[in-house]
Amino acid sequence: MRVLIAIGCDAYDNPPLQPLAGAENDAATIFGHLVTKNWGEYDQAQSKLLLSPTMAALRSTIEVAFFSGPPIEELTLFFAGHGGVKDNTYFLCLKDTDVGRMSLNALSMTQLFAWITEAKIRHTNLIVDACHAGGVVHDIGVLLNPNVIGKAGSLAISILAAAGSDEYAGESGGVGHCTSALMSCLKGVTPVQTTRPSLDLVEVGQVVSRTMQGTGQSPVCWGINLFGISQLAKNPGFSGAAHISATFPDLASDGAGNEHIRAASDSIWEQYLSLTREFDAERFLEVIQAVCAKLEKEPAVAAAFVMGLAATFGARIAATCDHFDVARLRSACAVALLPMAVSSTHCADAIVQLSEEVVASISEGTDQLLADFTEGTYGLLSKDGGIADFYFLPLRLMSILGWLGAAVHIQTISGASTAVIAPKAADLVRRIMAHYSNSIVPVSDEMTPFYVSFAAAADVLGCEEELESISGLLLKFLHQRAGRIADSGLSGEDALRFLTAVTEGRYDDFRNILANPTSLLPAVLLVMDRSGLTDIADGAMKGFDHININIFVPNDFRTFGAGLIEDGTNFSLNIGHTVFSVSDLLAEWSKIEEHLSADEILASPAVRISSVLSSLLRPDRVAWFLVAGQQSAGPDSSPETTQAEGGHPKLGETAVCPCDAGSSYLTS
C-alpha cells in the first residue's frame, strides 16, 4: 500500500512563529496531484491532508496510518510550514508548537524516524518545505545504526529539504518556491528522466536543486534505498502507460532475499558514507556482488536492489561534480547483475537502463572536460602535481579515452544513436592529443582495456588518425623499453620504483612489478594491423624478443565481472619463439576470433555491455571481442603515407613532457 501524508501549516498559536500564506496551499497541491488525480497511485482512504494540525492531531493520524491499517510499502510525507533546529535536532512546527517546549508539541525527525522504523515501512519519501530544512541531516545518525533501522526494517529513505540548514525557505503568491519547482517536475514541465514509469525523489530533488541555483535557497537532496528505487510518483515523461508498480513487479517486501540485503547493510552504509572522501568502484562492486550472488534465485530483487543504489549513490557522487565517477558507479551496478543477464529479463533490462545512464554520465563528464579545456589546458594534471603525474597521468588519459569508447559501444550494442555523444567525444579526443600527446606513454598493463575500448570505437568517432598516433606512440615506447611495462594495480610506491627502472634502465632489479606476460603489446600490434600499419609493427618485432604476451578469454562471459575469473583460456605466446612477425600473431588471433564468434552468451546485448564495463572497472581483463571481427585496413593503406599525415613518431624518438608545459619526460 502507498500512503501520502501532506501537512501544511499556515496558522500558529504561539509567537515568535508567524502565520504563513502558502503552506496549506502547497500541501493541498501535492495531495491533489498525487492522490485525487492518481499521479501517485496513493491509497485514497489511508492518505491524509492535514491543514494547520496540532501535534495531537498529527500523532493520531500517524498512529492510524502507520499502525492500524495494512502494511505501508511506500510512504511520502510532505510538510510545509515553519521548521528549525534545536539541540541538534530538527523539528517540524505545528499549530500549537511552543518553541520553548518543542519536544512536547513539535515533531522531531528523531521521533518520526523511530515511528517509520517501528512500522517497518519499506520506502519513505520525506519532503520538507520549511526554513533551515537542511537541518534534517542532524538526525540522520538515527538511520546510521543498523540495529535501529537496517535489520529491523529497511534502509530506504529519500529526503528533499527546501533550504540549507542556514537558509530560509521562501514563498510568494501563496506558493512555496521549492514546492513550485517540485510540482514542475511532477507535472512534466521540467523533465527529469524518460526511462522509467516512476520518478524517484532523489533524482527529482537533483533537478529541483539545479533549477533553484542562484535563488538564495539551496535545496538539499539525500537518500539511500536498498530495496529498489523509491517511487514517488508517475513519470509524465515516460512514453509508456505502465503503472508505477510495473518498474519491478516481482519485488516483495517480505521476500527471503531481503534478508541478504539487510545482512549487508553495514558494509553498504560504509560505502555510502565514504563517498564524501572518494569513490572506490572496485570496492563498491565487491560489496554489491556479494549480495547479488545470494539473490540469483530472486533476480527481480537483485535488479531492484542495484537500481536503488544506482539512484541514491549516484546522486551523492554527483554532488562532487565528477561525472565519470557517476559512470563508474552505474557501471558497477550493471556489472553486479552480469551473472543473471541471460537468465533474467529483469536483470537484462536493468543493465541496459543503467548503461543508458552510464552514457549520460560520460556525456556530462565530456562536457565538463571540454569546458575545462576552454579555461586552461592543464586541468587533467593532478592537484598535487609532482612526479606522480609521470605515471598516473598516462593512466588517466587512457582511462578517459576508454570511457569515451565505452559510450559508443553501449549505444551501438543497444541500437541507439551515437549522434549526440560521438561529436563531443571526438572533440575531446582531439584536444587531448593536441595538449597531452607527449603523455601517451605505456606505463601499466592496466591501460590495455581502455586502449582496446577506444580503438574499437575510433571509426565511429571519426578518430582514426588519432588512433594511429596513439598506437604509434605506445609502440615506440614499448620498443624503447624492449616491451617492459608495469603490472596492473601498482601502489604509489611501486609506481615510483617503476619510474626509477625506466629512468635508469634497471628493469632486472624490478621484475616483480613488471607485467609478465603483457596484454598491451598484442593489443597494440592487432590494432596497428587493422589500421594498415602492419609494416611499422613488423619493424619493431625484433625489439620484443623473448617478451611473453597473453590474451585471456573466459569460458563464460557471465563471470567476466568477478574479482577472480576461475575458468578461461590463456592464449600465451612468446615473441621470438612461437611468434616472429605480426602475421604469426594474426594466425593465433584468428583462432581466438573463431572462439569468440562461437560464444552464444555474447549474443546478449546486456552481456556484451556489462562485459565492456567490467573491463574498465577491473582493468586486469580485456574485452577482446571488441577487436574480433574488425577488418584490417589491408595492403592498400600505405604506412609511409599514414605516418607522414598522422605524425607518427619514428622508433627511437623520445617524448618531452607530461603535457605541453615544457618539462622533460622520463625516458630510458
Side-chain angles (χ1 to χ4, degrees):
M1 184 176 67
R2 298 168 55 77
V3 172
L4 169 66
I5 297 178
I7 308 162
C9 199
D10 281 341
Y12 287 93
D13 294 338
N14 303 307
L17 299 176
Q18 298 296 316
L20 299 173
E24 291 187 2
N25 291 338
D26 289 344
T29 299
I30 291 290
F31 191 87
H33 182 76
L34 295 181
V35 177
T36 59
K37 291 187 179 180
N38 203 34
W39 273 98
E41 295 181 357
Y42 290 92
D43 187 275
Q44 293 192 16
Q46 294 295 323
S47 298
K48 300 297 179 183
L49 171 63
L50 302 178
L51 303 179
S52 298
T54 63
M55 180 62 188
L58 176 58
R59 186 186 297 271
S60 176
T61 300
I62 293 291
E63 181 177 359
V64 172
F66 285 20
F67 303 106
S68 299
I72 298 175
E73 298 293 317
E74 184 103 20
L75 169 71
T76 294
L77 191 145
F78 174 89
F79 177 85
H82 286 302
V85 177
K86 184 177 181 181
D87 298 330
N88 291 322
T89 297
Y90 190 80
F91 289 88
L92 305 180
C93 298
L94 305 168
K95 185 176 186 293
D96 59 341
T97 294
D98 183 340
V99 294
R101 298 183 298 169
M102 294 182 74
S103 61
L104 295 176
N105 46 35
L107 178 60
S108 71
M109 290 298 98
T110 304
Q111 179 65 75
L112 176 61
F113 293 154
W115 288 337
I116 291 169
T117 300
E118 191 171 354
K120 298 183 179 179
I121 297 172
R122 192 176 61 180
H123 285 288
T124 298
N125 300 307
L126 177 61
I127 305 167
V128 181
D129 193 347
C131 296
H132 316 300
V136 170
V137 298
H138 287 293
D139 299 281
I140 296 305
V142 176
L143 298 178
L144 302 186
N145 184 351
N147 292 321
V148 173
I149 194 168
K151 295 179 175 64
S154 67
L155 277 168
I157 187 165
S158 303
I159 299 172
L160 173 60
S165 58
D166 59 347
E167 295 177 340
Y168 293 95
E171 62 175 30
S172 58
V175 179
H177 297 163
C178 182
T179 300
S180 177
L182 172 62
M183 285 302 303
S184 182
C185 293
L186 297 182
K187 291 180 178 180
V189 176
T190 302
V192 178
Q193 48 90 356
T194 60
T195 57
R196 290 193 312 276
S198 62
L199 293 175
D200 175 86
L201 180 58
V202 172
E203 64 190 3
V204 171
Q206 288 181 286
V207 175
V208 170
S209 296
R210 287 197 296 267
T211 59
M212 294 187 67
Q213 286 181 355
T215 64
Q217 189 174 328
S218 307
V220 176
C221 183
W222 185 96
I224 181 169
N225 292 331
L226 301 191
F227 296 90
I229 296 174
S230 73
Q231 298 165 1
L232 173 67
K234 286 184 180 179
N235 180 9
F238 182 66
S239 58
H243 291 287
I244 288 175
S245 58
T247 305
F248 294 105
D250 296 331
L251 183 60
S253 61
D254 58 350
N258 291 352
E259 291 304 318
H260 299 304
I261 298 174
R262 293 189 181 101
S265 61
D266 286 359
S267 56
I268 296 170
W269 267 109
E270 180 182 347
Q271 290 297 304
Y272 188 83
L273 295 175
S274 71
L275 296 181
T276 57
R277 302 185 299 273
E278 61 179 353
F279 174 61
D280 186 335
E282 284 199 69
R283 175 57 186 150
F284 173 78
L285 181 55
E286 290 173 1
V287 170
I288 63 172
Q289 276 181 323
V291 178
C292 288
K294 297 177 180 179
L295 297 173
E296 287 196 23
K297 294 183 179 180
E298 296 189 69
V301 176
F305 166 64
V306 299
M307 292 298 287
L309 293 185
T312 52
F313 273 61
R316 191 168 174 87
I317 296 174
T320 68
C321 298
D322 191 333
H323 298 290
F324 283 95
D325 268 350
V326 179
R328 293 182 184 95
L329 175 278
R330 290 167 171 166
S331 298
C333 289
V335 171
L337 297 176
L338 175 54
M340 294 173 275
V342 175
S343 59
S344 167
T345 55
H346 286 301
C347 292
D349 290 346
I351 288 171
V352 172
Q353 182 176 313
L354 286 165
S355 70
E356 293 173 358
E357 296 174 0
V358 169
V359 174
S361 297
I362 294 172
S363 179
E364 291 174 345
T366 301
D367 290 337
Q368 183 60 59
L369 288 178
L370 289 172
D372 291 344
F373 268 112
T374 63
E375 297 179 5
T377 59
Y378 307 125
L380 293 179
L381 296 173
S382 63
K383 294 180 180 179
D384 297 329
I387 197 171
D389 265 337
F390 286 109
Y391 184 85
F392 292 106
L393 179 60
L395 286 175
R396 195 175 307 128
L397 295 173
M398 196 62 71
S399 173
I400 293 171
L401 296 176
W403 283 103
L404 295 179
V408 169
H409 300 312
I410 290 169
Q411 298 294 78
T412 303
I413 293 170
S414 61
S417 172
T418 60
V420 174
I421 187 66
K424 66 172 73 176
D427 188 9
L428 180 57
V429 171
R430 294 183 181 107
R431 295 196 189 202
I432 287 174
M433 292 304 294
H435 299 290
Y436 290 90
S437 61
N438 288 322
S439 290
I440 304 297
V441 181
V443 293
S444 169
D445 221 35
E446 68 185 78
M447 299 173 79
T448 311
F450 300 102
Y451 169 69
V452 167
S453 175
F454 170 71
D459 59 338
V460 177
L461 293 172
C463 292
E464 295 93 336
E465 182 176 328
E466 287 74 20
L467 173 61
E468 293 174 9
S469 297
I470 290 169
S471 300
L473 287 165
L474 294 176
L475 184 71
K476 180 192 73 171
F477 281 104
L478 285 170
H479 184 269
Q480 285 181 357
R481 301 171 186 174
R484 299 181 183 94
I485 190 172
D487 204 357
S488 299
L490 294 192
S491 65
E493 180 180 353
D494 282 339
L496 179 59
R497 293 175 62 212
F498 175 75
L499 291 178
T500 301
V502 171
T503 304
E504 301 177 0
R506 294 190 295 114
Y507 298 104
D508 290 343
D509 296 338
F510 300 95
R511 288 183 179 179
N512 64 316
I513 61 172
L514 297 180
N516 185 23
T518 173
S519 61
L520 181 60
L521 180 55
V524 172
L525 295 174
L526 289 172
V527 169
M528 292 193 74
D529 172 71
R530 278 148 180 73
S531 298
L533 304 175
T534 308
D535 288 352
I536 294 177
D538 255 336
M541 289 295 284
K542 289 183 179 180
F544 302 129
D545 198 25
H546 301 305
I547 290 296
N548 295 313
I549 61 177
N550 187 71
I551 295 174
F552 172 78
V553 178
N555 289 347
D556 187 340
F557 269 92
R558 287 172 293 190
T559 68
F560 202 55
L564 176 64
I565 305 173
E566 296 182 353
D567 298 315
T569 303
N570 284 296
F571 296 87
S572 298
L573 305 166
N574 181 273
I575 295 179
H577 179 63
T578 54
V579 172
F580 298 90
S581 65
V582 173
S583 61
D584 293 334
L585 174 61
L586 293 176
E588 297 296 330
W589 171 248
S590 65
K591 302 174 186 176
I592 302 173
E593 281 189 309
E594 183 178 353
H595 180 86
L596 290 170
S597 63
D599 193 328
E600 295 181 357
I601 290 176
L602 277 176
S604 163
V607 170
R608 292 177 70 86
I609 289 171
S610 45
S611 293
V612 172
L613 299 177
S614 295
S615 71
L616 303 188
L617 293 176
R618 298 189 186 277
D620 59 350
R621 68 221 46 198
V622 181
W624 290 105
F625 60 82
L626 293 175
V627 181
Q630 289 195 340
Q631 298 298 314
S632 169
D636 292 336
S637 297
S638 170
E640 291 77 16
T641 302
T642 305
Q643 182 175 351
E645 293 177 351
H648 290 299
K650 297 178 181 178
L651 294 176
E653 287 182 348
T654 57
V656 180
C657 60
C659 68
D660 56 356
S663 58
S664 178
Y665 203 96
L666 298 176
T667 58
S668 58

